[in-house]
Amino acid sequence: MRVEKCWFCSSSIYPGHGITFVRNDATVFRFCRGKCHKNFKMKRNPRKVKWTKAYRKLAGKELAEDATFEMEKRRNRPEKYDRELVGKTLKAIEKISEIRQKRQDRYYEKRMQKAKKQQLQADKVQLEKEVHLIKAPAGIRAEKEKLKEPVRQADTSKDAMEE
């Protein structure tokens, strides 16, 4: 079973699915669904359309360079069918997909650490600006008065020392 890649979004196209477009110069374009085909006909660049894999890799949202991608490259070399070799290959493909998923998850977590710090800072700023929504006005006044009282007591103790 040959699984093709969509020219526009790089998703998998299984046999019997998708649309094939052949240009006058015999260039073959395969699309996974009508959405990709229409975007191609509208002459959109996949690197500028946010939902494509090309955009995500270019924007640093997905792992772009990984050794496991070498397995995915196309090889059209004919080989003799060997049942044992096919079994080993299928096991290797499963392991590689697990490794790739773990690496992708680590990359995502690393990328999200910066976003978490930025979100925390933004939340603190918003909390400081909108504290009146959380506390009642009477509570704020009481808190301000408590803050002023120790200052007054400190002033009176200084006056006592001077006398």
Side-chain angles (χ1 to χ4, degrees):
M1 177 171 78
R2 178 171 290 205
V3 179
E4 304 286 346
K5 290 283 178 197
C6 177
W7 183 87
F8 197 80
C9 70
S10 303
S11 65
S12 300
I13 308 170
Y14 292 93
H17 294 263
I19 301 162
T20 304
F21 174 75
V22 183
R23 212 165 41 192
N24 287 342
D25 62 353
T27 309
V28 178
F29 299 95
R30 289 183 172 82
F31 304 103
C32 59
R33 55 188 183 264
K35 179 180 181 180
C36 297
H37 189 215
K38 285 178 184 177
N39 277 289
F40 174 78
K41 287 193 287 188
M42 287 190 278
K43 298 186 177 181
R44 289 207 174 133
N45 188 346
R47 290 172 290 193
K48 292 185 179 179
V49 180
K50 291 193 174 188
W51 52 268
T52 62
K53 258 205 168 115
Y55 173 86
R56 291 187 59 78
K57 283 184 180 179
L58 195 67
K61 307 244 179 240
E62 273 186 36
L63 202 57
E65 294 174 16
D66 190 6
T68 60
F69 292 137
E70 293 297 317
M71 285 290 287
E72 206 171 291
K73 285 190 177 174
R74 247 174 141 184
R75 292 174 191 88
N76 286 330
R77 285 180 264 130
E79 287 189 23
K80 268 192 173 177
Y81 179 79
D82 182 10
R83 183 176 236 158
E84 189 177 319
L85 179 68
V86 171
K88 286 181 180 178
T89 305
L90 291 174
K91 286 180 183 177
I93 288 172
E94 289 174 11
K95 283 183 182 179
I96 286 171
S97 61
E98 288 174 21
I99 291 168
R100 185 181 293 167
Q101 187 61 44
K102 287 178 185 175
R103 287 181 180 170
Q104 207 62 330
D105 293 342
R106 272 186 278 158
Y107 181 75
Y108 177 79
E109 288 298 321
K110 192 175 179 182
R111 211 169 45 85
M112 288 296 115
Q113 284 177 349
K114 294 177 187 173
K116 286 179 186 175
K117 289 178 185 176
Q118 291 174 350
Q119 185 64 38
L120 188 64
Q121 288 175 346
D123 290 344
K124 284 181 182 179
V125 169
Q126 184 180 7
L127 185 64
E128 289 173 4
K129 285 182 181 177
E130 299 174 358
V131 73
H132 64 280
L133 297 174
I134 298 170
K135 295 183 180 180
I140 294 173
R141 284 188 206 125
E143 195 173 289
K144 285 182 181 178
E145 290 173 9
K146 286 180 184 177
L147 290 173
K148 289 179 184 176
E149 286 178 16
V151 174
R152 291 179 189 159
Q153 291 174 355
D155 288 339
T156 55
S157 62
K158 284 182 186 176
D159 293 336
M161 289 179 148
E162 288 176 5
E163 291 176 3

